[in-house]
Amino acid sequence: MASHLEIKESLQAFLENYNRNERLKIMNKDWNRVILVRANDIASEHTLVLSGGNLSVYEGARENPDLTVIADSETLADLFYGDITPTEPYLNGTLKVLGAEDDIVRLDFISLMIWGE
């Protein structure tokens, strides 16, 4: 089990790698989304906000997110550190991503561009 702090640190690593990738920032300039990241085994919620190509991370939940990412704390930390791809946990049901299919595909593509396969 990962702690709230470990999830926060993994999201910070994801944020830093995203914001260093100018190509991703340009590609997502018109994709403004609010993404809730929620652990289902500990009290931990964070919000990713993508606006104008820039990504920010906030503690807690924002209302009416466009996407919601739900998994156990360990999966979330591993996922946002880039230690695992979302494919296996998504297929075995330990990772749930709720939202429009186009948004889910875009989020998966961002992860691929940051961490590779």
Side-chain angles (χ1 to χ4, degrees):
M1 181 181 316
S3 69
H4 175 76
L5 181 59
E6 288 171 311
I7 296 171
K8 180 180 178 179
E9 289 170 349
S10 72
L11 288 167
Q12 189 63 37
F14 183 81
L15 167 83
E16 289 168 4
N17 282 287
Y18 174 91
N19 284 330
R20 279 197 293 260
N21 190 321
E22 289 302 317
R23 191 170 172 197
L24 264 178
K25 290 167 72 174
I26 291 167
M27 290 170 57
N28 291 307
K29 193 169 191 159
D30 65 341
W31 194 63
N32 300 314
R33 297 293 185 273
V34 175
I35 303 163
L36 174 61
V37 177
R38 176 181 292 143
N40 59 16
D41 61 340
I42 63 169
S44 181
E45 292 183 325
H46 293 85
T47 301
L48 300 171
V49 177
L50 188 58
S51 179
N54 294 305
L55 184 65
S56 303
V57 176
Y58 301 94
E59 291 265 347
R62 297 254 173 120
E63 286 188 32
N64 303 317
D66 300 294
L67 286 162
T68 302
V69 178
I70 304 168
D72 62 85
S73 56
E74 193 71 33
T75 299
L76 290 174
D78 288 346
L79 181 66
F80 285 101
Y81 270 130
D83 295 339
I84 61 172
T85 66
T87 305
E88 186 178 332
Y90 186 75
L91 291 175
N92 71 22
T94 58
L95 171 65
K96 293 181 183 169
V97 184
L98 310 173
E101 189 66 33
D102 290 348
D103 289 343
I104 294 169
V105 170
R106 175 87 65 119
L107 183 60
D108 191 38
F109 179 75
I110 291 169
S111 295
L112 180 63
M113 290 289 294
I114 291 173
W115 304 122
E117 289 189 51

